[in-house]
């Protein structure tokens, strides 16, 4: 059995499945990441909470000093931009596969809400960096991608719109039009993650540039909008079950006659839908990777709670009551099953890129967050009222995960897409069944049976 420290966080069987697919560099990086999370990030998490002001106005102006320190340490250790695979982004990536990063992302989800950002692997920057690395012009990469890769700035991705059924991205109404050598943007967005951060310097805005195009998937374009451009107005931070997620936030944003140079167009006119498909695929699986970590963390907290002698009720440990043991067993089984889904999707991305792994990504996207929510809910129940309070991390983790059943496409959309892909297999199945029937009939006739 492997003695790699990852077995403290995952089952030996899960690690055994992927260990031989890990390069020596990946194994070394994984070990360093575990040490960094255990020795640096988790002990600093409470300080990060205390450094965030309670004052409503100051919360959106604060860059946490402890997080800045952690980032410098992570850079020196080489624990930086781990999500960006050199296989797909030779110029900017690190020598890690999506499968290797999947295991690391699970640890980031397990550790702390500041873990992903401490190694420059947090959304929405990850997806935006992938967009710029894949589709950006050399000028765009120099001006925006490199500062993002260096952790000098942060970014936002503006697609979801107020009063629009945004689960269908072709419904967006934000206007993007050309006037001479400028692009003019007018629109009303909300739930724009990262837009409240004082370090956010660029928005990737998706809008409708060719509403008359007969192909509804070529009506959209993506434009780079600096946050200080005249006409960009942050209306308010949106709250998720009472959490404002400062200083990054999820903001309502108005673009009022915003003008940017023509060179801020990404890839080309009408290429917006192509861009978001390339962006959201990896982003969805990154969320699922971290969700496994959230669930594992919740199960570990549940185990400690139900075996705590100080929490006995009616003379018994909590695990001796009711269905607690069954909840533990089901949680472990669900985590292991979901992890295999995520690892399978990550491996498929490595083989055929995100576009060829849409089915696997879609299945993971509607299965994994729901699983993690269920496990966290069980842990909350074991803590009683304390579980829904600010004195545990469970309520915040549950609130953040609940948004994933909506973000990057709601469950219903992924279920519909996966179901439709399955239905496309029907002609093949019918033909296969027909051929088997013919062979069956021939065997029966040869044996003297009349049909």
């Amino acid at each position: 059995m492997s003695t790699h420290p990852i077995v403290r966080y995952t089952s030996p069987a899960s690690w055994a499945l992927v260990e031989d697919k890990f390069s020596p560099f990946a194994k070394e990086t994984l070990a360093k990441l575990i040490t960094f999370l255990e020795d640096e990030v988790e002990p600093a998490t409470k300080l990060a909470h205390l450094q965030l002001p309670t004052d409503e106005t100051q919360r959106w102006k604060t860059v946490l000093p402890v997080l800045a320190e952690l980032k410098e340490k992570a850079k020196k250790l080489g624990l930086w931009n781990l999500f960006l695979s050199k296989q797909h982004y030779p110029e900017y990536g690190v020598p890690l596969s999506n499968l290797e990063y999947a295991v690391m992302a699970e640890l980031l989800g397990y550790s702390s809400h500041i873990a992903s950002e401490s190694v420059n692997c947090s959304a929405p920057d990850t997806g935006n960096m992938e967009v710029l690395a894949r589709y950006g012009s050399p000028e765009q990469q120099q001006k925006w991608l490199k500062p993002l890769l260096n952790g000098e700035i942060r970014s936002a991705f503006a697609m979801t719109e107020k009063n629009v059924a945004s689960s269908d991205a072709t419904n967006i109404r934000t206007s993007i039009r050309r006037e001479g050598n400028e692009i003019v943007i007018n629109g009303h967005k909300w739930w724009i993650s990262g837009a409240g951060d004082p370090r956010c310097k660029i928005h990737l805005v998706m809008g409708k540039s060719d509403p008359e195009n007969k192909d509804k998937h070529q009506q959209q374009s993506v434009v780079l909008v600096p946050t200080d451009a005249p006409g960009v107005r942050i209306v308010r931070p949106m709250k998720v079950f009472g959490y404002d997620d400062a200083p990054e936030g999820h903001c309502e944003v108005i673009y009022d006659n915003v003008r940017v140079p023509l060179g801020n167009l990404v890839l080309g006119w009408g290429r917006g839908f192509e861009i978001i498909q390339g962006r959201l695929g990896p982003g969805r699986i990154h969320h699922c990777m971290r969700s496994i970590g959230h669930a594992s963390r919740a199960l570990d907290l549940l185990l400690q709670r139900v075996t705590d002698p100080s929490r006995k009720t009616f003379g018994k440990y909590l695990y001796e009551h009711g269905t607690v043991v069954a909840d533990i067993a089901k949680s472990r089984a669900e985590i292991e099953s979901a992890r295999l889904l995520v690892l399978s999707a990550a491996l498929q991305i490595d083989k055929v890129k995100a576009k060829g792994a849409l089915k696997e990504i879609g299945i993971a996207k509607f299965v994994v967050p729901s699983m993690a929510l269920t496990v966290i809910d069980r842990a909350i129940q074991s803590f009683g009222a304390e579980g829904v309070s600010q004195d545990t991390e469970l309520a915040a983790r549950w609130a953040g995960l609940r948004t994933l059943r909506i973000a990057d496409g709601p469950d219903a959309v992924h279920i519909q897409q996966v179901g439709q892909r399955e239905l496309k297999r029907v002609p093949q199945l019918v033909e296969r069944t027909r051929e088997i029937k013919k062979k069956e009939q021939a065997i029966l006739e040869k044996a003297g049976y009349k049909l």
Side-chain angles (χ1 to χ4, degrees), residues 265-283:
L265 178 70
V266 181
L267 191 59
W269 294 105
R271 307 290 292 275
F273 212 86
E274 176 185 347
I275 292 169
I276 65 165
Q277 288 304 307
R279 181 188 188 278
L280 292 177

Side-chain angles (χ1 to χ4, degrees), residues 4 79 164:
H4 195 283
L79 299 173
V164 172

Side-chain angles (χ1 to χ4, degrees), residues 10 53 147 171 184 196 200 223 269 291 396 403 429:
T10 186
N171 286 336
V184 183
C200 181
V223 178
W269 294 105
S291 297
T403 65
L429 293 172

Side-chain angles (χ1 to χ4, degrees), residues 20-83:
D20 64 343
K21 298 185 184 300
F22 266 58
S23 69
F25 172 82
K27 290 179 182 178
E28 180 185 354
T29 302
L30 179 59
K32 285 198 296 185
L33 178 63
I34 291 171
T35 300
F36 177 67
L37 294 175
E38 290 180 344
D39 293 351
E40 302 286 353
V41 175
E42 292 204 41
T45 299
K46 189 169 184 179
L47 177 58
H49 277 294
L50 294 173
Q51 287 182 344
L52 186 65
T54 56
D55 180 82
E56 283 287 337
T57 57
Q58 295 304 311
R59 289 169 69 78
W60 303 100
K61 300 176 182 178
T62 301
V63 177
L64 305 181
V66 68
L67 193 49
E69 293 171 10
L70 288 172
K71 288 183 176 183
E72 288 305 312
K73 291 178 181 178
K75 280 185 183 179
K76 291 177 182 177
L77 290 168
L79 299 173
W80 198 251
N81 297 331
L82 304 175
F83 71 96

Side-chain angles (χ1 to χ4, degrees), residues 31-32 52 59 72 95 105 129 138 147 155 168 182 228-229 258 286 288 292 307 316 318 328 347 367 443:
K32 285 198 296 185
L52 186 65
R59 289 169 69 78
E72 288 305 312
M129 284 187 268
S155 60
D168 179 354
E182 291 185 318
D228 60 358
V258 177
H286 292 168
C288 290
I292 303 293
T307 56
K316 294 181 179 181
L318 293 181
I328 292 170
L347 184 60
V367 169
I443 290 172

Side-chain angles (χ1 to χ4, degrees), residues 92-105:
Y92 300 106
V94 295
L96 293 173
S97 67
N98 280 284
L99 180 66
E100 291 164 340
Y101 177 64
V103 177
M104 299 178 193

